[in-house]
Amino acid sequence: MDISSILQGGYQHPTSRSWQSRKPLVKSMFMYPIFITDDPDARVPVPTLPGQCRWGVNQLEGFLGPLVKKGLQSVILFGVPFKCVKDGRGSPADDESGPVIQAIKKLRSLFPALYIACDVCLCEYTDHGHCGLIHTDGTINTPPSVDRIAQVAVNYAKAGAHCVAPSDMMDGRIKAIKRGLIDAGLGNKCTLMSYSAKFASSLYGPFRDAAGSVPSFGDRKCYQLPPSGRGLARRAIQRDTAEGADIIMVKPALPYLDIIADAAQLAPDHPLACYQVSGEFAMIHAGAAAGVYELKTMAFESVESMVRAGATLILSYFTPEFLEWL
């Protein structure tokens, strides 16, 4: 056997195997998605998301306190309103008495070192369930959608969010949000994380159960990217970096490792996030429950592939487990 054929000597020990990764997996790479509802005392399990709940603000200290002690450094908040009156422009999204702004203020008070990101979208707050404002024919009306998304993002930042993360996929919203943050004196105080390459995926089902965000008609394929649209994803990533995004995100993660790798090449100087979405999480649990593999082993394999592709930040419902495992 030729000398150049021998590779196994380089990874024959657990320590030398760990050196094969360009970036080690560490706790700070995980951001935990949290569903916040408008019942302050709620703790409602989500059946399709094992171990996940909708939380009221009065439950956050008991829920997150132990995780912070284990090393939790960041969360991303998703509002899940049930008591508000929804309308065509998503007016409740930035209501000061609504779940997201109340949760921002609560968490800033309880855990001063915890990094708080907020998903910015209108689908949970519109009476039609779409992510922007719509024309009378049901199509997206982009300019007022962008204005409204930017308004919500700035109001979350004013409430104390460290990061705003628009997931709506409206053209031009990154530039509008960045301009709004700058004009509000928050351009250097709030991170802008863009869901740049968000695909129209079948893997969002459990999330939509948790967030109550299923559209009342049609679907979101005209603004979320088609699964085969690699070129569109590359263009969106380049657009959002040019418009002022501080972090680029790919969503979902595992079926789109090629897009994560593309993003790492297209935006090498930006942090790169990926979202291990609800369906990915549920699939890993389902496979483990069926005896296909061991849960922990598969969870590690999944996120290590994301890091290998170039991700530096992983939004994952497995975050509490990785705080134990790492």
Side-chain angles (χ1 to χ4, degrees):
M1 188 177 290
D2 193 81
I3 289 174
S4 62
S5 300
I6 303 299
L7 298 178
Q8 292 172 348
Y11 58 94
Q12 47 75 35
H13 187 278
T15 298
S16 60
R17 283 196 290 276
S18 73
W19 295 337
Q20 304 306 315
S21 171
R22 295 298 181 189
K23 293 191 291 288
L25 199 63
V26 294
K27 293 180 180 182
S28 62
M29 296 175 78
F30 287 90
M31 178 177 282
Y32 191 20
I34 307 292
F35 300 106
I36 308 293
T37 190
D38 50 6
D39 176 353
D41 299 310
R43 183 187 184 279
V44 182
V46 180
T48 51
L49 271 176
Q52 309 306 305
C53 296
R54 301 187 194 102
W55 297 95
V57 292
N58 292 343
Q59 299 279 356
L60 292 177
E61 183 173 12
F63 167 47
L64 291 178
L67 298 180
V68 170
K69 289 180 180 178
K70 292 176 184 177
L72 178 68
Q73 295 189 28
S74 65
V75 296
I76 182 166
L77 306 180
F78 295 86
V80 187
F82 289 106
K83 298 179 180 179
C84 67
V85 178
K86 301 182 181 184
D87 60 23
R89 64 187 305 273
S91 296
D94 50 356
D95 184 343
E96 290 198 3
S97 62
V100 173
I101 288 180
Q102 288 297 303
I104 294 168
K105 293 178 178 179
K106 186 81 166 180
L107 292 175
R108 288 295 300 257
S109 173
L110 290 171
F111 310 112
L114 183 67
Y115 187 89
I116 302 165
C118 292
D119 178 82
V120 182
C121 198
L122 301 180
C123 59
E124 301 100 327
Y125 306 97
T126 55
D127 52 11
H128 46 70
H130 279 280
C131 300
L133 281 66
I134 57 176
H135 291 291
T136 54
D137 64 358
T139 58
I140 289 292
N141 189 352
T142 301
S145 298
V146 167
D147 291 345
R148 178 68 182 128
I149 288 288
Q151 183 182 43
V152 173
V154 170
N155 284 334
Y156 288 169
K158 287 179 177 178
H162 299 104
C163 172
V164 290
S167 60
D168 56 291
M169 291 298 287
M170 299 296 120
D171 288 336
R173 89 274 203 216
I174 300 304
K175 185 176 183 179
I177 293 171
K178 195 71 166 185
R179 183 76 262 165
L181 291 171
I182 292 169
D183 290 348
L186 296 166
N188 62 343
K189 297 179 181 180
C190 184
T191 303
L192 176 49
M193 177 166 65
S194 174
Y195 289 68
S196 296
K198 179 180 178 180
F199 289 85
S201 174
S202 299
L203 292 168
Y204 302 148
F207 175 91
R208 289 173 181 166
D209 290 344
S213 61
V214 178
S216 61
F217 65 89
D219 54 42
R220 296 171 177 147
K221 293 181 180 179
C222 288
Y223 43 100
Q224 295 178 359
L225 302 179
S228 60
R230 183 179 184 182
L232 276 172
R234 292 174 62 89
R235 289 163 61 193
I237 290 162
Q238 292 171 301
R239 176 196 64 192
D240 288 359
T241 55
E243 289 189 3
D246 298 302
I247 302 174
I248 298 299
M249 189 198 299
V250 176
K251 176 186 179 182
L254 204 56
Y256 298 96
L257 295 179
D258 59 326
I259 308 302
I260 297 173
D262 281 351
Q265 175 259 322
L266 292 168
D269 299 322
H270 284 65
L272 175 54
C274 65
Y275 197 148
Q276 185 180 43
V277 300
S278 58
E280 294 176 75
F281 175 79
M283 280 199 305
I284 292 171
H285 269 276
V292 177
Y293 40 67
E294 194 269 331
L295 180 70
K296 179 180 176 181
T297 303
M298 189 62 217
F300 265 98
E301 183 176 346
S302 67
V303 299
E304 285 170 344
S305 72
M306 299 165 199
V307 174
R308 186 186 68 241
T312 58
L313 172 62
I314 302 170
L315 285 68
S316 176
Y317 303 97
F318 278 116
T319 296
E321 285 80 7
F322 278 106
L323 296 177
E324 293 276 1
W325 294 336
L326 290 172

